[in-house]
Amino acid sequence: MQQIRVRGARTHNLKNVSLDLPRERLIVVTGLSGSGKSSLTFDTLYAEGQRRYVESLSAYARQFLSTMDKPDVDSIEGLSPAIAIEQKASSHNPRSTVGTVTEIYDYLRLLYARAGTPRCPDHGIDLSAQTVSQMVDQLLRLPEGTAVALLAPVVSERKGEHQEVLGGLAGQGFVRVRIDGRIHEMDALPELDGRRKHTIEAVVDRTRIRADSGQRLAESLETALRLSGGLARLAFLDEPTLDELLFSSRHACPVCGYSVPPLEPKLFSFNNPSGACPACDGLGVQEFFDPERVVLHPHLSLAGGAVRGWDRRNEHYFHLIQSLSRHYGFDIETPWTELPEHVRHVLLNGSGDEAIEFSYRDAEAKSRRRHPFEGILPNLTRRYRETESQMVREELSRYLGVRPCPECQGTRLNRAARHVFVADRTLPQLTALTVGRALEFLGALDLAGWRGEVAARIVRGVIERLRFLADVGLDYLTLDRNAETLSGGESQRIRLASQVGSGLTGVMYILDEPSIGLHQRDNRRLLATLKQLRDLGNTVIVVEHDEEAIREADHVIDLGPGAGAHGGHLVAQGTPREIAASPASITGQYLAGKRRIEIPGLRTAADPARQIKILGARGNNLARISVDIPLGLFTCVTGVSGSGKSTLIVDTLFGHAAARLQGARVEAAPCDGIEGLEQIDRVIDIDQSPIGRTPRSNPATYTGLFAPLRELFAAVTESRARGYDAGRFSFNVRGGRCEACQGDGVIRVEMHFLPDVYVPCDVCRGKRYNRETLEIRYRGKNIHEVLEMTVEEAARFFQNVPAASGKLQTLADVGLSYMRLGQSATTLSGGEAQRVKLARELAKRATGRTLYILDEPTTGLHFHDVEQLLHVLMRLRDEGNTVVVIEHNLDVIKTADWVIDLGPEGGEGGGRVVATGTPEDIAAIEASWTGRYLRPLLGRQDRARSAAVTA
C-alpha cells in the first residue's frame, strides 16, 4: 500500500478528519496553534502505531507496559511502525552528557582502551612494560625489614561465589588468599554472596625485605605474574594504611613505579567505580558552602546580621564572634566588606592551629577555654553532615553552591583515566571539544603501527555520528555538555541524528517542530537530514510552522481554520504550491504573500541616555564583550545557534539584574559590570520551563484565575446554605476534593524500571472533586465543567465578572484561546507554558519600568499567531517597558526596534558582537548571517509596499 489512510479521526478537537498520506514522503502538518496538528500526528497516528506494537507483544511483556487507549478514529490502514521524536528534555540524570546520549562516548572509551598510551602523572613518561628485574629492584629499595605480602589478582570486581577459582588455587598449593581486602586461610574461607562483586587475590609470598632476598622475590613475582596474567600487588602487612604497590609486566613508570591496571573501557567510564573520580563519584561537581550565600548581607556588620545565625540573636555563636574580635582586634559593628582580608578568612575558614581564648556561658557559670576556631564554613559543613533532622538539612542547603570538583577539575574521571593519551590528547580534552572541532581532530588522526589499525575502525564510527550531529546544526555543542542543559529543540535534534545513524527503513517518523532554536542558516542542513531519512525509505511527518520547511515538503496538510473548537478541520492538502493557491488556507495566504506580518512604518529610535550597558561579559564562550541595550524599545538578540545569546541575556543580564533589583539568588555569568539598572524597577525572565511538574498545576491556578472562580462558587446560595467556603472548591486541600486521588483526577502507577503511568481515578472519573462539591452549580455549571472550558468559552461565560474576564482576555491575547482552564501543566508544550507566563505578567498592573526577557517566544506558533504575539509585545513596549527577545524568526527580527547580532559562528567561533542597529542596519552587514537572510525579506516587503502604493 502506497498510502496511509486515516478515516474518521475525532481525537480531541478533530472533526471527523479523513485523509490519505503518501508513504515515503516528507509531509509537513501545519496550521494555527491548537488547530489539531498534535492530535492528528501524535495522539492518533503515533498512538495507534504504538498500541498495535504493544498488542503484538506477549501477555507477559504487556504487563510491564501501560495499556494504551485506542484513538478515537474509525480506521487507519497502511500504518508503519512509528517513532516519535518530541521536544522533551533528553535526561534529568546529572551523569548524562551529549557524548553518552549519542553513544559517541562509548566509542571513545573503546578507542582510549585499545589505542591509548598511559603516562605517569608525575613524570609525563609513557608507561612501558616492567621486567621482573625492575620490579625486584624497586622492592629492594623499600626500608630493610618491611613486612610485605605479594599478591596475584585472579578475580577483580566480579559477581559470583567463585568456588572453581578458589578450588583451583587450593589445588595449586596456595594456603592463603585475600578476599575483598582480608586475608583468609584456605581451610577457613568465608561464604561469598553470589550477588555481590568480589576481588580475590592469591597470597604468593609473605616475607620481610632484606638485601639478600632478591632471588626469592624474583621467583615469587614470576609466579604472581604468571597466575594473574601480568599483574602483581604488594601489600604492607605492618602498615595496612599505606598505598599498595601495583606491578605490571605491561605498563609502569621506570622512575616512580607508577602503574595502571590493563586499559579497559570501564576505566574511562565515570559511571563505573573503576573510572569515576573518587572525590565526586563521577559527577564532576561538588556541593560546598558558598561564602557569597553564607554572607547574605555583606553591607551589614557581624552584629547586625551579615551572616545569618551568627549575630546577636544566637547567643552561643555571637559569644564566639566576640571572643574572636578581642583576639584579632576588630569591631563587630564594622560592615563585613570593610573587615581586613585575614579576619574574613579566619571567620569563614577557621584559625587553623592557632588557639584562641573563648568564653562560654551555661546555666550555672561562665567558663574559659583555649582552642582553635572551627570557622563558619567548616561548622556548616559538619552540621550538614552530622544532623539527622530533615528541617535542619533543608535550612542549611540554602547556603550550598556547586563548583567543579577540585580533584578532577570537572572531568569526572580518576587520575589513571585522565593520563591516557591518544595523539597527545586525553579523553577529557577530547570531550571538551565542540562537535566541529572533534570532527577535525579525529579526521586528521593518524596513529602509527598496530594502534593505527585498531583505531581506524573505531574512529570511523565516531566520525559518522559526529557528522550526523553537525548535519542537524549541533556542531557547536561540546561532547561533555550536561544533557540537562540542552533545550527541547537540541534534544530532539540529537535523537534525530541518532535515528539517521540507525539506518532503519519502512518506519514512520513523527517530529515536533525540529527547527526550534535553529538559525535560518542551519535550517537547510536540518531539511537535508530529514530528506535523507525519507530517502532511506521512511515516511517523515513533521509538525512545523517554518516557511522554508513548508516550501521544501513533498506534501503539506493544513488544519484549521481556527484554534480549539474552531479548528480540527482539514482545510487544504497537497503540494506547497497547491496550499498557496488555496483561498481557504490562512497558511496558503501567507505563503502566497497575500497576508504578511508588516514592517513598522516608523521605528522608535534608541535614546543614548537611556541604556543598560553590559561590560566585559565572558560567561561560557563570550569573548569579554560589551553590549548596550536601549531602554523602552523592543530589542531582538539573534545569531546562529551556540553564538552566546542565552549566555549574554539570560545568564548575564537577567542573573545580575535579578540579584540586584529583587535580591534573587541565581548563578550569574561573570562580567565586569552592568550599568543603568537603576532605570528599571524589576526584571522578568519568561522562559519555557514548565509552569508546574504535577497534574495539579494548570493555567487557571498559575495565572491566579482559580481564586476568583472559587469565590464565585462559594457565593452561590446553595454553598452558603451548606457552609462551603472557597477552600471547598480547591483540589489541593481536604474537604471538597476526591480523596481517592487527592484531587489529582488521576492515580500514579509506579512502573519500577519504566516511567510512572497516570490512570484516571475510578471514584471521581477524573473530575477531581467529590459528589457533594459537584452538586454546587454557578449558572448551570459545576466547578469541574468550568475547568473543562476553553479560554474562549470561559471568556464568554464570565464576561460580566471583572476579576476573571481580564485574566481570560490576556490568555486569549497571547493566542491561547483554545486551551482548557484545567489542562494539566505536564501536557503543555514549552511554547504554551511560556505564553501562560506572559499572560500572567500582562494581567499585572504595569509599572512602565519593567525589563521583560523572552527566549524564543514564537516556539509552536503559526504565522498568524506570531502576528498576535507581536501585538502583545508591542503593547508592553508602548507602556514604557523594555522587551528583550532571543529569536531566530525573521518575522520577529524585522519588526524589532533594535537588533543585536552575535556570532559569527557557534561555540568557540562565536561569542562576539557582529552587528547592532535597526534591522535595516543589520541587513547591510555582509559578515552577519542574520543580515544575509533578512536582506531579501526586507527587499521583498519594500517591493510589495511600493506595488500597493502604485496600484
Side-chain angles (χ1 to χ4, degrees), residues 763-775:
V763 178
C764 67
R765 304 199 180 279
K767 294 183 178 180
R768 299 178 172 221
Y769 295 94
N770 57 32
R771 190 168 49 204
E772 292 72 27
T773 306
L774 293 174
E775 287 171 356

Side-chain angles (χ1 to χ4, degrees), residues 468-741:
F468 289 141
L469 287 175
D471 287 344
V472 292
L474 295 176
D475 46 358
Y476 61 91
L477 291 181
T478 57
L479 294 175
D480 61 1
R481 169 98 170 252
N482 194 314
E484 278 189 302
T485 66
L486 298 172
S487 70
E490 287 169 335
S491 302
Q492 187 183 30
R493 291 197 292 281
I494 282 177
R495 288 196 293 276
L496 173 61
S498 303
Q499 290 299 332
V500 176
S502 70
L504 289 173
T505 62
V507 175
M508 180 174 69
Y509 287 102
I510 300 178
L511 294 93
D512 187 8
E513 284 202 83
S515 66
I516 286 173
L518 215 51
H519 191 271
Q520 289 298 121
R521 186 200 69 172
D522 302 315
N523 233 5
R524 199 162 289 281
R525 283 195 291 178
L526 172 70
L527 291 169
T529 304
L530 295 176
K531 289 178 180 179
Q532 187 178 346
L533 208 55
R534 173 201 66 189
D535 295 341
L536 286 171
N538 300 300
T539 306
V540 182
I541 301 174
V542 184
V543 176
E544 190 57 272
H545 298 110
D546 180 72
E547 182 178 344
E548 189 175 5
I550 297 170
R551 292 188 185 279
E552 291 285 323
D554 302 318
H555 192 81
V556 180
I557 294 167
D558 187 29
L559 297 179
H566 303 297
H569 295 282
L570 179 63
V571 176
Q573 68 168 324
T575 64
R577 193 184 294 274
E578 289 168 347
I579 299 295
S582 170
S585 167
I586 295 177
T587 306
Q589 291 174 29
Y590 278 96
L591 289 177
K594 295 173 185 172
R595 294 175 73 157
R596 69 177 73 86
I597 295 172
E598 295 292 347
I599 299 171
L602 187 65
R603 297 193 193 276
T604 308
D607 181 357
R610 296 187 66 232
Q611 290 184 332
I612 292 176
K613 296 177 182 289
I614 304 172
L615 306 173
R618 53 188 182 276
N620 295 337
N621 67 331
L622 294 180
R624 200 177 277 275
I625 59 173
S626 297
V627 176
D628 296 342
I629 297 174
L631 291 172
L633 299 189
F634 174 40
T635 299
C636 197
V637 181
T638 185
V640 299
S641 304
S643 57
K645 303 182 296 297
S646 295
T647 303
L648 176 67
I649 300 303
V650 179
D651 300 345
T652 307
L653 174 59
F654 174 73
H656 287 281
R660 197 182 307 177
L661 298 173
Q662 288 141 225
R665 294 163 68 182
V666 293
E667 296 285 338
C671 69
D672 294 340
I674 299 182
E675 299 175 358
L677 289 178
E678 68 281 352
Q679 300 177 75
I680 58 174
D681 57 10
R682 60 182 182 141
V683 59
I684 295 165
D685 178 26
I686 305 174
D687 60 15
Q688 295 189 18
S689 59
I691 59 172
R693 298 189 180 276
T694 67
R696 291 172 187 270
S697 302
N698 58 53
T701 56
Y702 187 83
T703 57
L705 175 64
F706 200 31
L709 295 186
R710 289 190 290 117
E711 287 165 6
L712 274 179
F713 275 89
V716 171
T717 306
E718 183 64 22
S719 289
R720 293 206 302 271
R722 296 187 186 187
Y724 293 169
D725 59 6
R728 178 82 190 188
F729 301 94
S730 169
F731 43 71
N732 291 321
V733 293
R734 287 177 175 273
R737 72 182 184 185
C738 167
E739 286 303 322
C741 61

Side-chain angles (χ1 to χ4, degrees), residues 818-888:
Y818 61 91
M819 186 179 288
R820 288 184 295 107
L821 300 186
Q823 186 169 336
S824 169
T826 56
T827 66
L828 300 181
S829 69
E832 288 172 332
Q834 188 178 34
R835 295 201 296 283
V836 171
K837 293 177 186 179
L838 181 59
R840 185 171 78 163
E841 294 305 324
L842 282 170
K844 293 178 181 176
R845 191 180 299 278
T847 64
R849 297 180 59 205
T850 303
L851 170 61
Y852 293 97
I853 294 172
L854 294 93
D855 193 350
E856 293 199 67
T858 60
T859 298
L861 293 188
H862 185 266
F863 306 107
H864 185 66
D865 301 313
V866 171
E867 192 168 6
Q868 264 188 297
L869 176 70
L870 285 171
H871 286 311
V872 171
L873 297 179
M874 297 303 181
R875 193 169 95 197
L876 287 173
R877 179 204 63 186
D878 293 343
E879 289 170 351
N881 302 299
T882 304
V883 180
V884 179
V885 174
I886 300 170
E887 191 55 82
H888 295 117

